[in-house]
Amino acid sequence: MPSLDYRNPADCLAFIKDLPLTNLDASHPRVSEMVATLLAQPPAPNQHLEVLEAAREAIVFLQFELGQRYAAHPLPPNSREEATLQAVIKLWIDLARSYALILRGDMESRTLEDQYALLAQRRIQNAGNCLLEYFRAHRAVPIDQWSQFHDSYAVAEKMGLAQTRISDPLNDVWKAQSGAEAYCAVLLVDLANPYGRNQREFQLVCQWAQRFAPYCGLAAPSEGEAPGKYGLDLAVDQGLRPIGLLAPSLTLRRFDGQRLASQIQAALTQLKQGMAPASLGLGEDCAADTASRILISLYRPWGLAAAGRKYPRRASRGIAEVVSQWEGIAFYIEGQPFVLPKKPRTATGLATDLHTMTFGTRADDADWDERRRASYVREHNLSPRGWQVVDQSVSGFRLQRKPEDERTEHRQLIAIKPSDGKQHLLAIISWLMFRQDNFLEAGIYILPGLPRAIAIRSPGLSSQSHNLFELGFMLPAVPALQAEATLVVPLGWYQADRPVEIRGEPSRRVRMVNCLVRGANFEQVTFTNDLP
């Protein structure tokens, strides 16, 4: 690309027109340089606005595509894509500051007065995009970032611009948006447990937040406000909180999602009746079952109020052992290698011994003392990882550790043993976030019941079927927690009414009924014992 004088708006417009969007590594730095130059040496406000609006669609495309480089997994602070994240965030910040500069610069001449609502909306939107980028990378939001976002809305509110809808071609559903709607869309994403979403789910949540933001409201709280309602203080550097936890203030605002609750209910009803998600503004490439599952998870935080913790957390200390490999999970649950049954003899008279296929060694019935277990763990690289316990409740833990080479996934099945525990329990990684001090934090949900390793196979409808046994887990019913007995099977195993043969204690045949949880590497399913 030729050298350009970014201080010249005409050169900028020509540059934008011929920008090669397919070359991210060349185009993104040039666009960022252009925006930064115009911010440092601004032209006339009307010319500055013309350039930014002309470049807006290209910038959004480049930012999204570049963000995909770190969106698939939580981004460690010292990773090779750290510079990519910082480049994306800097451009959003420069854009927010640019629209604010144009608005301030025009206050005397007021030549752009009919564009003030647009300038306010664009500033809020870009300031909010900074927060979304931290969510996307599973990084803690830095100090003062929420304050900058709140300031953008506070200015629009003070000027009476927050509720004015302006044209926004990039809004897929409404093609228009007010500053308040742009503000509420980011708040909705924050309420959606963004650190507990994978890449695909997070993108859907962001799209749906734009779709449902018009049904939200912000207002000064009234006396006797229900403490579970959400609220925020425009002068405090944080997102939404239960309003009962916030001090009275002139800058306190109540978040109202009551109308949104009925919209989500209506969408769920229409999906159940067979309507396509695309016809409901939920995306062209979103399956109905996926849309229903995510909408159900959003119903309470978006439409009702803060649920509060069923089981309060308490501060705790100690090191918890965490195991993530399936074979390792079975080993620590059983105290020795779990050996899968042999494959039935084939018509040719040959047999395959799955003892060697599963763990690479044959386990006998001899007692496994500590020395033998330690030797086996070293040989098969099954050592647990130590995580520091931050706090805990009846249903789970919040853990932290310095990141290492192993991959940690959302909704990954793990086994965990607290420092004061006697047995490993099955658990799910429910959310992940890198803090500013480079520690990785994880929320852990414990699956109720004491697990047992089992061998499972689906014989199908034919008695001649010889499917191989695979490793699975059984969780007993826990009436006190209203938890029924379940199977934990490999991802992709679940089919409604699928028969399953279980070898374990006891051996039996069951039929799958319902999938309760679909994780990154497993499915937790209910079953019925109606097979002989």
Side-chain angles (χ1 to χ4, degrees):
M1 287 183 283
S3 177
L4 295 172
D5 182 3
Y6 293 123
R7 296 169 298 179
N8 185 333
D11 279 359
C12 292
L13 292 172
F15 162 66
I16 294 165
K17 183 178 179 181
D18 298 326
L19 186 66
L21 297 179
T22 56
N23 191 341
L24 291 178
D25 293 322
S27 297
H28 191 274
R30 297 292 296 272
V31 168
S32 299
E33 183 184 358
M34 178 190 75
V35 172
T37 301
L38 293 174
L39 178 60
Q41 304 177 58
N46 63 321
Q47 294 178 317
H48 196 174
L49 177 60
E50 182 182 10
V51 172
L52 295 183
E53 288 297 289
R56 185 165 175 258
E57 183 174 1
I59 288 175
V60 169
F61 174 83
L62 292 171
Q63 292 277 81
F64 177 80
E65 291 299 320
L66 208 58
Q68 297 310 293
R69 295 181 178 180
Y70 52 76
H73 305 286
L75 181 67
N78 296 321
S79 70
R80 62 182 180 181
E81 293 298 345
E82 174 69 18
T84 303
L85 172 65
Q86 296 306 323
V88 170
I89 287 173
K90 182 180 185 303
L91 181 50
W92 289 133
I93 291 174
D94 283 352
L95 285 167
R97 291 174 176 171
S98 296
Y99 283 105
L101 178 66
I102 295 170
L103 182 58
R104 289 196 303 270
D106 193 69
M107 294 302 292
E108 184 175 341
S109 64
R110 306 187 77 83
T111 58
L112 292 175
E113 190 168 6
D114 61 337
Q115 300 293 317
Y116 284 178
L118 179 144
L119 291 166
Q121 185 265 353
R122 299 289 198 261
R123 180 190 176 188
I124 294 170
Q125 193 175 69
N126 286 291
N129 284 337
C130 295
L131 296 172
L132 298 184
E133 222 57 57
Y134 285 109
F135 295 157
R136 191 189 317 276
H138 290 84
R139 299 284 288 275
V141 176
I143 294 173
D144 201 43
Q145 204 66 63
W146 275 106
S147 291
Q148 293 182 36
F149 179 56
H150 295 331
D151 287 347
S152 68
Y153 175 75
V155 169
E157 186 184 66
K158 184 176 181 179
M159 295 181 67
L161 303 171
Q163 303 299 328
T164 303
R165 266 195 161 194
I166 51 88
S167 174
D168 189 350
L170 302 185
N171 187 301
D172 292 335
V173 176
W174 305 107
K175 303 301 180 185
Q177 190 179 64
S178 68
E181 290 166 355
Y183 187 68
C184 286
V186 176
L187 298 179
L188 287 175
V189 176
D190 184 38
L191 288 178
N193 185 26
Y195 298 120
R197 303 286 177 180
N198 60 30
Q199 181 180 9
R200 172 60 177 154
E201 285 188 1
F202 180 78
Q203 191 55 37
L204 286 174
V205 166
C206 289
Q207 293 174 5
W208 296 358
Q210 300 289 329
R211 156 80 168 81
F212 289 111
Y215 301 102
C216 302
L218 289 165
S222 56
E223 288 189 19
E225 199 73 64
K229 293 288 185 181
Y230 283 113
L232 58 84
D233 192 325
L234 296 175
V236 177
D237 187 33
Q238 65 183 24
L240 289 169
R241 298 288 189 275
I243 202 165
L245 301 179
L246 302 176
S249 168
L250 293 177
T251 51
L252 190 63
R253 299 292 181 270
R254 173 178 56 83
F255 177 82
D256 185 3
Q258 187 174 355
R259 287 198 303 152
L260 180 50
S262 60
Q263 287 293 317
I264 294 177
Q265 284 181 325
L268 286 168
T269 299
Q270 291 170 308
L271 287 169
K272 190 174 182 180
Q273 293 171 347
M275 291 192 67
S279 65
L280 301 175
L282 301 177
E284 295 289 340
D285 57 347
C286 180
D289 60 341
T290 300
S292 296
R293 176 176 57 81
I294 299 176
L295 279 176
I296 290 171
S297 74
L298 298 174
Y299 177 69
R300 172 170 285 280
W302 279 14
L304 298 180
R309 288 196 173 276
K310 185 176 181 180
Y311 304 108
R313 288 193 179 275
R314 64 182 187 276
S316 184
R317 301 182 67 179
I319 302 298
E321 291 183 3
V322 173
V323 184
S324 57
Q325 314 100 307
W326 271 62
E327 293 85 355
I329 293 173
F331 176 82
Y332 283 98
I333 286 175
E334 297 298 323
Q336 64 184 52
F338 183 78
V339 180
L340 293 175
K342 295 179 181 180
K343 179 179 177 182
R345 189 170 298 275
T346 65
T348 61
L350 299 177
T352 302
D353 187 347
L354 290 189
H355 294 55
T356 59
M357 292 178 63
T358 305
F359 295 105
T361 185
R362 180 188 295 274
D364 54 34
D365 295 329
D367 291 337
W368 280 70
D369 58 22
E370 289 301 322
R371 178 180 295 181
R372 191 176 183 192
R373 273 194 288 267
S375 175
Y376 188 86
V377 166
R378 288 193 300 270
E379 182 180 351
H380 296 275
N381 194 28
L382 297 179
S383 297
R385 301 289 185 179
W387 287 69
Q388 183 179 345
V389 178
V390 179
D391 56 40
Q392 67 181 91
S393 71
V394 173
S395 61
F397 297 84
R398 181 159 63 103
L399 308 178
Q400 66 177 21
R401 77 188 305 262
K402 285 285 189 179
E404 295 184 7
D405 294 336
E406 82 277 10
R407 174 171 292 182
T408 307
E409 301 275 358
H410 292 103
R411 299 201 192 107
Q412 180 180 351
L413 184 73
I414 62 171
I416 181 172
K417 188 179 82 167
S419 57
D420 58 352
K422 295 182 179 180
Q423 182 169 339
H424 284 78
L425 303 173
L426 285 183
I428 304 171
I429 297 176
S430 57
W431 58 264
L432 291 165
M433 180 192 72
F434 277 99
R435 300 191 323 218
Q436 293 298 307
D437 59 5
N438 295 351
F439 272 83
L440 176 64
E441 278 198 1
I444 307 297
Y445 171 71
I446 303 295
L447 296 178
L450 294 178
R452 293 301 307 271
I454 56 174
I456 54 174
R457 73 184 184 106
S458 181
L461 301 178
S462 170
S463 60
Q464 300 301 316
S465 176
H466 297 308
N467 294 350
L468 302 181
F469 278 98
E470 295 187 51
L471 177 60
F473 302 95
M474 171 80 74
L475 288 163
V478 184
L481 298 177
Q482 299 182 339
E484 56 188 317
T486 57
L487 297 176
V488 176
V489 299
L491 185 64
W493 251 67
Y494 171 73
Q495 293 178 15
D497 295 326
R498 182 179 186 178
V500 178
E501 180 182 349
I502 297 174
R503 293 286 182 89
E505 296 181 6
S507 297
R508 51 181 154 164
R509 296 186 71 196
V510 302
R511 190 183 299 277
M512 293 184 183
V513 176
N514 185 38
C515 184
L516 298 180
V517 180
R518 180 170 287 112
N521 60 342
F522 77 98
E523 292 166 333
Q524 183 186 18
V525 302
T526 59
F527 62 90
T528 180
N529 294 304
D530 62 355
L531 292 181

